[in-house]
Amino acid sequence: MAGSADRLLRSVALLDRPRLAAVVVTSLIAAGAGLLLPGALAGATDAVLGGRSSAGAVVWLLVVGVAEIAADAVTMLLPARLTSNASAWLRRRVTDRLLALGTHSPFAAGDAVSRVTGDCAAAGGIAAVVVQLVATGLMSSGAVVLLALLDWRLALVFLGSLPFALLLARSHLRGTAKDVLAYQQVSGELSARLLDAAAGLRTIAASGTADAEAARVLRPLPRLNLAGQGMWRTQARMVWRAGLLLPTVEIVTLAAAGFGVLDGRLSAGDVLAALGYVALGLGLVTQIPLLTTLSRIRSAAHRITEVLDTEPPPRGVLGLLPGNGTLELRGATVHGALADVDLTIPGGCFAAVVGSSGSGKSTAISLLAGLRRPDAGQVLLDGRDLAVLRPEELRAVVGYASAEPALLGVTVSDAVAYGSWASVPAVDAACRTARIHDVLVRLPRGYDTLLSETPLSGGESARVGLARALARNPRVLLLDDATAGLDTITERAVTAELGRRTRVVVTHRAAMAARADVVVWLEAGQVRAVGPHARLWQLPGYRAVFTEET
């Protein structure tokens, strides 16, 4: 996994090569100017103190200083664009993979959001961080060379401090890597729990379990605190050690340079230059926090590759067969939900799926809709396995609606046409069929009202979701309790206008089951019976299903 993460980071770093080249060039200019600055300062100082003409030296000092400031300014702007582009590219890849995984995704919703937002943003900064570290390394190396050219004795004094600097960097990296990864993993777990709680706010409030839910959400906090304290302890050790190392080396170098001045080898300007080279030489020490950032980036890349390396189900490549919407389950098994189910729903049939809670109703509908694949067995539409169908063709002929649909889009019209690019007349017709048109036209801007400003009840949202499924004029319509929030009269009116397409409805109402052509009775993940409601009603166990629901 570490190798995959490093390969991903290399791809991210090289994603925008022209802009990366510009960042490298400006960083090199800034590093070069920074190395020239101590020498220019030494020349100007000696010229002034020696009573010589200092105009040229001062002008050169200004040129070098302005060049460094300009290059530094550019290197602050370009990496930001480089990072934002890389983060957007990563987010697109991770989002595409999560969407491809669909209901097969092993990642909790909150954890997935954490990976798309925080981890992609962190990993997107790899190029900027690496360029900054390389530029700092070049400046440090160059400073040592220039210090040696100034006086090899000073270079020896400085080199004596390098083992301490390297040891400091190594211990910092080793101390933070594990804590950073743990911190990000626990943050993802917290996000997942918080998202679940936010989605169930009404249930939590109604059940009076706010305190218990808060305790559940915050349960990972001790582990997060432990990882955070580990990072801060390592950071604190690095800060005070680096804070001692730099002035110690400067004092020792300054003392050695003082002997050089007494011996006549060095001038006052050379002493200033030596101190500048020492500061540049220890630049890597001052940039050690970047090593923490680099560790965080590698941990983020590790979490991203976990998503990208999770293979989605194979994509179908075949087209639809002509037909009237016949659905079949052949030995369909979903571990823990359905067991070896065989079922045929003829085309144009109105089928009701009933059963007690946990009987596998929603799982069966998800299989028929192609929203998930069975662990064993087949799901067929007009004789062709859904697994081999091209997804875009499957989605064009299968409409799906649930009791609590997620309404997406900017306006109400967008929400109804979402995924189908339905025309305005098709949206209007679908809303009329779903008995939601009269509600929507009374909104301030009708169908063009912003979805975020549209007050919809649970039943009204369900009808908008139903209209969305109808807008594509599907061959098959699958309703997972989508009419549960409607009153009996509205439910009857809606179902009466669904047309002669194949309709499969999960229901808890005996009246709905009575209107169906056939009822599929599920119990403990298996088909208990299939037949007309009137015949099944003679069975006490069947009647008990509706008694339990009421």
Side-chain angles (χ1 to χ4, degrees):
M1 186 64 72
S4 298
D6 290 339
R7 286 193 296 272
L8 175 67
L9 290 177
R10 281 194 293 270
S11 299
V12 172
L14 298 175
L15 188 63
D16 188 350
R17 300 193 181 196
R19 188 169 277 111
L20 176 62
V23 171
V24 170
V25 169
T26 53
S27 297
L28 290 176
I29 292 174
L35 289 172
L36 291 174
L37 192 59
L41 178 62
T45 301
D46 288 340
V48 172
L49 294 178
R52 305 189 304 272
S53 174
S54 59
V58 171
V59 169
W60 173 241
L61 176 62
L62 290 174
V63 168
V64 173
V66 169
E68 183 180 19
I69 292 172
D72 284 339
V74 175
T75 53
M76 291 178 64
L77 298 176
L78 283 178
R81 184 63 181 273
L82 194 66
T83 298
S84 62
N85 288 347
S87 299
W89 180 77
L90 281 171
R91 283 172 177 155
R92 178 61 182 268
R93 287 194 62 190
V94 174
T95 301
D96 287 347
R97 179 52 55 91
L98 289 171
L99 291 176
L101 289 170
T103 55
H104 296 269
S105 174
F107 307 102
D111 183 46
V113 170
S114 175
R115 293 172 195 253
V116 171
T117 54
D119 291 333
C120 288
I126 180 63
V129 170
V130 169
V131 169
Q132 189 172 350
L133 284 172
V134 170
T136 303
L138 290 175
M139 287 184 68
S140 297
S141 302
V144 174
V145 172
L146 292 175
L147 189 62
L149 292 175
L150 184 64
D151 189 333
W152 62 268
R153 300 170 186 81
L154 298 181
L156 285 179
V157 170
F158 175 79
L159 290 174
S161 67
L162 283 185
F164 298 100
L166 294 175
L167 182 63
L168 180 61
R170 180 173 176 270
S171 64
H172 180 72
L173 275 178
R174 292 182 62 182
T176 57
K178 184 179 179 180
D179 288 329
V180 166
L181 180 58
Y183 192 89
Q184 289 172 294
Q185 289 174 334
V186 179
S187 294
E189 183 180 344
L190 269 172
S191 298
R193 292 173 180 240
L194 184 59
L195 189 62
D196 290 341
L201 283 178
R202 291 184 180 180
T203 301
I204 295 168
S207 60
T209 57
D211 291 340
E213 187 62 20
R216 184 192 71 84
V217 171
L218 299 178
R219 195 166 294 134
L221 271 184
R223 287 187 286 130
L224 187 73
N225 180 55
L226 192 64
Q229 285 185 357
M231 286 194 300
W232 284 113
R233 280 196 298 267
T234 305
Q235 187 85 355
R237 286 195 299 268
M238 183 276 298
V239 168
W240 74 259
R241 290 172 181 175
L244 286 177
L245 181 61
L246 181 57
T248 300
V249 175
E250 286 181 335
I251 290 172
V252 173
T253 304
L254 183 61
F259 286 110
V261 172
L262 294 176
D263 292 342
R265 299 192 312 271
L266 301 175
S267 65
D270 291 335
V271 174
L272 291 177
L275 290 177
Y277 293 142
V278 168
L280 292 175
L282 290 176
L284 277 177
V285 176
T286 63
Q287 294 297 327
I288 282 181
L290 277 180
L291 299 179
T292 302
T293 303
L294 186 60
S295 179
R296 186 177 296 114
I297 286 173
R298 294 189 76 248
S299 298
H302 172 81
R303 284 167 50 80
I304 291 171
T305 53
E306 285 182 338
V307 177
L308 299 180
D309 289 346
T310 303
E311 290 296 327
R315 180 184 174 88
V317 295
L318 299 181
L320 292 162
L321 292 176
N324 58 356
T326 298
L327 295 169
E328 295 179 76
L329 296 178
R330 294 181 182 173
T333 297
V334 175
H335 298 315
L338 295 176
D340 196 27
V341 173
D342 292 311
L343 176 67
T344 298
I345 299 175
C349 176
F350 177 14
V353 180
V354 304
S356 58
S357 178
S359 59
K361 303 184 297 297
S362 293
T363 302
I365 288 289
S366 295
L367 291 179
L368 294 172
L371 298 178
R372 68 177 302 166
R373 294 184 181 179
D375 298 318
Q378 291 179 295
V379 185
L380 298 95
L381 171 61
D382 291 323
R384 177 155 284 175
D385 194 332
L386 298 189
V388 302
L389 287 175
R390 285 190 287 270
E392 60 273 14
E393 292 198 32
L394 176 62
R395 297 273 70 84
V397 298
V398 175
Y400 171 85
S402 64
E404 297 180 355
L407 302 181
L408 306 173
V410 178
T411 66
V412 174
S413 180
D414 293 338
V416 178
Y418 188 81
S420 65
W421 305 104
S423 63
V424 172
V427 168
D428 183 270
C431 289
R432 290 179 184 275
T433 300
R435 291 295 193 273
I436 193 64
H437 171 77
D438 291 342
V439 174
L440 300 182
V441 295
R442 290 197 296 268
L443 294 172
R445 298 181 60 189
Y447 281 78
D448 292 328
T449 303
L450 294 178
L451 195 59
S452 59
E453 299 176 1
T454 303
L456 295 174
S457 67
E460 289 167 345
S461 295
R463 277 183 276 171
V464 172
L466 176 58
R468 178 176 61 193
L470 292 169
R472 64 183 68 211
N473 191 26
R475 184 187 302 182
V476 173
L477 182 62
L478 303 168
L479 306 181
D480 186 4
D481 228 10
T483 61
L486 309 183
D487 60 81
T488 304
I489 296 175
T490 304
E491 182 185 56
R492 181 185 294 272
V494 169
T495 54
E497 295 190 18
L498 295 181
R500 293 303 305 168
R501 60 173 62 88
T502 305
R503 293 142 291 156
V504 183
V505 180
V506 171
T507 184
H508 302 285
R509 294 176 176 174
M512 172 71 86
R515 291 195 296 274
D517 300 325
V518 65
V519 176
V520 179
W521 175 20
L522 293 178
E523 187 175 276
Q526 295 184 318
V527 176
R528 174 75 179 272
V530 177
H533 173 75
R535 178 165 61 82
L536 296 180
W537 190 255
Q538 306 304 315
L539 304 174
Y542 180 76
R543 293 197 301 271
V545 169
F546 300 100
T547 303
E548 291 172 5
E549 296 297 340
T550 56

